Amino acid sequence: MAAPIVSISNLVKAYAGGFTALDGIDLSIQRGEILALLGPNGAGKTTLISTICGIATPSSGAIRVGGYDVVEDFRDARRMIGLVPQELTLEPFEKVRDTVRFSRGLFGKPRDDAYLDQVLKDLSLWDKRDNKIVTLSGGMKRRVLIAKALSHEPDVLFLDEPTAGVDVELRRDMWRVVEALKAKGTTIILTTHYIEEAEAIADRIAVINKGQIMLVEETAALMDRMGRKEAVIDLAAPLSAIPEALHNYDLSLAGDGCQLIYGYDTSAERTGIRRLLNDLEAAGITMRDLSTRQSSLEEVFVKLVHAEDAA
Amino acid sequence: MNLTATLVIFRYEMKRFFRTILQSLVSPIISTSLYFVVFGAAIGARMEEIEGTSYGAFIVPGLIMLTVLTQSISNASFGIYFPKFIGTIYEILSAPVSSLEIVIGYVGAAAVKALMIGLIILATSFLFVPLSIAHPVWMLAFLVMTCICFAMFGFIIGILAKNFEQLQLVPLLVVTPLVFLGGSFYSISMLPPVWQTISLFNPVVYLVSGFRWSFFGVADVPIGLSLLAIAAFTALAFGTIWWIFKTGYRIRD
Ligand SMILES: Nc1ncnc2c1ncn2[C@@H]1O[C@H](COP(=O)(O)OP(=O)(O)OP(=O)(O)O)[C@@H](O)[C@H]1O
Ligand SMILES: [Mg+2]
């Protein structure tokens, strides 16, 4: 495997007050991948991003971006990074175009209006290019932040909750932009509380809780491994209770007794569905329809975080 | 060196200045004119010449210093405090810029603004009093050094300030008294001996004295001492800024 574009080893970040927000993080991010960082409020997602980007200083451990140490070779490391912060922090009286130009200059790149114009167009900001930021809506401001982060053509883009408080259409726009960046080879690290979003877009998912990485895995593999499937059996006649004969199965009643839900593990050797159907017939229960569904990443996530909290 | 970044910061800060050019220039000009009317014309008419200079002219260097000190401090402190306050500092902190490049951008812009205001007040002074400048090059040098030095102090205040009150408190509680007691409107030699000695602990005395020397050729303290003082303040400010960036104190978590 190629050298990771971001590699973090044994990173600890304790804030001035003494609170340890990151507690021994090890993480490698491959060039060109989309990594979703999931975790409850206060897990340390923003702190992790801030430490990589230079806004916070690591207490111990090492972070390399493109092979450059973010403290020792901060210039080379930071030149590669674009950051869209969680908060909508913008200069209110600046014009959209000026603030994007400012960002590019700050990263030491020569002025390139053609490129910046294209970025503004891609983010549907072209009409607003001469507007003062204070006059923009929240969603528009979010786009301006993205435009600023892209202004210097970064290799690695951090998106800290890019879709928080963003409407459906803009969210779809945003994922289009992310896909286009990925196609160009940009590495993308994003945090989100919309888990289905992570599931849909991320190549890999990392779960962080209480400053520790709980899991990093390919999205698909994670779904397979952790995913519980459910078979939904529609009944011809409603049941008031689950018959004695079926108590060995993981069953629950739904739909006012018209549905039986059977949970099973996809990683088990046998699903047990065939046997269940036989037993249903033996018990004199008539089935009208059968469908299966997979539990979402959300449930996987909740399970993980709760298991940790219980431990 | 990422000079592009320094330039971008500098230009941004200057833009803020020109956006509010009226406030930026009108208020110092009006207040200086008031000083001339009150101290120069009304009171000065009844004062004897000080060291061969009419009182109206004598206060010109002090007045310029007063404005330049407050302006460089307030411009620089606001310049860095504002992005900290609204959070846009994240971008500066995550950019490939060194602390030196950041400081040159902010301090440079604040110093240039203060210098411009200082020169405009000087020009205004010619309207009120007969004035000649004995050592124009030294005059300019003192002005530039003072602007840079105090813009650095302003930068420090902007980083250390926790709120807007603190941002305004230092110029108000420290700078104004020091300037007024620093011989801006009188010669130190006019004070009783005890106060003369105490005055020597006021850093502004050295600035005003040196600056006034460049106008009239007379000084309260030896000119070399004035230069040394400016150098020392600049070194102190620079050291403090260096320490702030090295430790990230109140700027980087
Ligand atoms: N500047 C700071 N000083 C002290 N503690 C901080 C600071 N910033 C964050 N923390 C603490 O560190 C922990 C992690 O915060 P962080 O912002 O990284 O969480 P997060 O995962 O991004 O949460 P969210 O989903 O709410 O954005 C929290 O307990 C927070 O209170
Ligand atoms: Mg966060």
Side-chain angles (χ1 to χ4, degrees):
Chain A
M1 201 186 275
I5 191 154
V6 178
S7 74
I8 301 166
S9 58
N10 203 14
L11 173 65
V12 174
K13 173 63 194 175
Y15 280 111
F19 179 77
T20 304
L22 299 177
D23 190 7
I25 300 273
D26 287 294
L27 183 63
S28 290
I29 300 164
Q30 298 305 317
R31 192 177 288 272
E33 78 170 326
I34 299 181
L35 177 82
L37 203 53
L38 303 182
N41 289 135
K45 302 180 294 293
T46 300
T47 304
L48 178 58
I49 292 176
S50 301
T51 329
I52 300 172
C53 297
I55 295 165
T57 329
S59 304
S60 68
I63 307 170
R64 287 178 169 275
V65 177
Y68 301 109
D69 186 276
V70 297
V71 178
E72 296 296 318
D73 315 313
F74 70 93
R75 275 186 210 273
D76 291 309
R78 289 185 200 165
R79 246 190 278 276
M80 305 182 66
I81 300 176
L83 166 65
V84 180
Q86 181 171 1
E87 310 287 339
L88 292 174
T89 40
L90 287 160
E91 298 276 358
F93 303 115
E94 278 285 281
K95 288 182 182 165
V96 169
R97 211 181 196 172
D98 292 343
T99 197
V100 175
R101 267 187 204 144
F102 175 86
S103 301
R104 186 174 169 92
L106 204 54
F107 277 73
K109 289 255 175 170
R111 191 167 156 167
D112 181 349
D113 285 344
Y115 171 75
L116 292 184
D117 288 354
Q118 192 54 49
V119 169
L120 292 180
K121 283 174 188 158
D122 289 346
L123 288 162
S124 314
L125 279 170
W126 185 242
D127 296 341
K128 310 274 183 195
R129 63 190 178 278
D130 289 321
N131 287 35
K132 289 216 168 104
I133 285 161
V134 67
T135 66
L136 300 182
S137 73
M140 283 294 169
K141 285 182 187 146
R142 183 75 64 187
R143 291 179 202 224
V144 175
L145 283 175
I146 299 179
K148 277 166 82 76
L150 294 178
S151 68
H152 63 278
E153 303 159 69
D155 298 298
V156 186
L157 180 65
F158 288 90
L159 296 157
D160 200 351
E161 289 190 36
T163 52
V166 156
D167 71 19
V168 187
E169 197 174 339
L170 174 52
R171 225 188 279 179
R172 223 179 299 135
D173 268 14
M174 211 153 322
W175 295 137
R176 248 200 308 274
V177 171
V178 167
E179 292 288 0
L181 285 170
K182 182 186 157 74
K184 266 178 37 189
T186 310
T187 309
I188 294 155
I189 294 95
L190 59 96
T191 75
T192 175
H193 287 290
Y194 301 103
I195 293 174
E196 64 290 8
E197 245 170 38
E199 201 176 321
I201 199 162
D203 299 312
R204 281 199 307 159
I205 286 176
V207 177
I208 179 170
N209 192 27
K210 296 182 180 161
Q212 294 183 325
I213 300 270
M214 315 264 320
L215 162 154
V216 194
E217 202 166 337
E218 308 253 324
T219 312
L222 179 65
M223 302 307 299
D224 283 351
R225 191 169 65 82
M226 302 287 291
R228 242 172 77 88
K229 267 197 162 173
E230 285 178 344
V232 181
I233 301 159
D234 288 313
L235 305 175
L239 285 176
S240 56
I242 295 168
E244 195 68 37
L246 302 174
H247 271 186
N248 289 339
Y249 296 96
D250 175 12
L251 283 175
S252 54
L253 273 177
D256 288 329
C258 287
Q259 281 185 336
L260 268 176
I261 314 282
Y262 170 56
Y264 62 97
D265 213 322
T266 48
S267 55
E269 225 162 83
R270 288 209 164 84
T271 61
I273 292 181
R274 178 187 291 274
R275 205 152 43 84
L276 171 65
L277 295 183
N278 287 340
D279 288 349
L280 277 179
E281 208 173 338
I285 299 169
T286 319
M287 180 189 83
R288 267 202 2 225
D289 197 8
L290 171 74
S291 59
T292 63
R293 65 183 187 207
Q294 186 149 19
S295 66
S296 68
L297 180 59
E298 183 156 346
E299 293 160 51
V300 172
F301 171 73
V302 169
K303 231 193 283 176
L304 252 176
V305 170
H306 279 200
E308 161 78 352
D309 288 348
Chain B
M1 278 286 275
N2 185 352
L3 283 178
T4 321
T6 304
L7 212 64
V8 157
I9 294 174
F10 180 85
R11 254 198 253 121
Y12 173 81
E13 284 297 301
M14 291 310 288
K15 201 166 89 182
R16 199 160 52 76
F17 175 69
F18 286 113
R19 199 155 50 201
T20 54
I21 184 90
L22 270 177
Q23 290 116 285
S24 307
L25 292 183
V26 167
S27 92
I29 291 179
I30 289 184
S31 58
T32 318
S33 305
L34 287 176
Y35 277 112
F36 277 124
V37 172
V38 175
F39 287 109
I43 299 178
R46 287 153 200 265
M47 300 263 296
E48 343 167 356
E49 293 195 337
I50 300 177
E51 284 147 7
T53 310
S54 81
Y55 187 66
F58 180 84
I59 63 172
V60 168
L63 272 181
I64 297 177
M65 272 293 161
L66 174 64
T67 313
V68 156
L69 288 191
T70 25
Q71 285 293 326
S72 33
I73 287 186
S74 67
N75 278 322
S77 61
F78 187 81
I80 188 69
Y81 180 77
F82 189 63
K84 246 182 60 175
F85 178 69
I86 64 171
T88 49
I89 187 109
Y90 87 88
E91 201 176 17
I92 309 267
L93 295 180
S94 63
V97 281
S98 67
S99 352
L100 189 66
E101 288 151 6
I102 297 175
V103 173
I104 294 176
Y106 280 105
V107 168
V112 168
K113 289 182 227 179
L115 181 66
M116 284 165 59
I117 293 174
L119 291 176
I120 286 174
I121 289 177
L122 178 61
T124 317
S125 310
F126 280 101
L127 301 178
F128 288 91
V129 288
L131 203 57
S132 64
I133 303 169
H135 312 284
V137 177
W138 276 110
M139 191 278 295
L140 209 59
F142 265 109
L143 204 54
V144 171
M145 286 187 291
T146 309
C147 288
I148 294 175
C149 177
F150 281 80
M152 284 206 265
F153 279 116
F155 188 83
I156 295 170
I157 293 167
I159 285 181
L160 299 189
K162 286 181 177 161
N163 49 50
F164 274 104
E165 284 73 34
Q166 292 185 353
L167 202 61
Q168 282 158 350
L169 219 58
V170 177
L172 209 66
L173 284 188
V174 181
V175 178
T176 315
L178 283 185
V179 176
F180 270 85
L181 301 175
S184 301
F185 303 109
Y186 53 86
S187 164
I188 298 294
S189 60
M190 294 158 79
L191 293 173
V194 181
W195 283 102
Q196 288 193 26
T197 313
I198 293 176
S199 292
L200 294 182
F201 289 96
N202 178 352
V204 177
V205 164
Y206 300 89
L207 302 179
V208 173
S209 164
F211 194 47
R212 189 179 289 136
W213 168 85
S214 70
F215 279 80
F216 311 121
V218 266
D220 285 337
V221 292
I223 178 74
L225 215 54
S226 289
L227 284 172
L228 205 66
I230 293 196
F233 300 147
T234 310
L236 179 69
F238 200 82
T240 311
I241 292 177
W242 180 81
W243 176 84
I244 284 174
F245 275 99
K246 189 172 150 59
T247 58
Y249 186 69
R250 296 226 180 132
I251 182 162
R252 195 170 255 137
D253 287 325

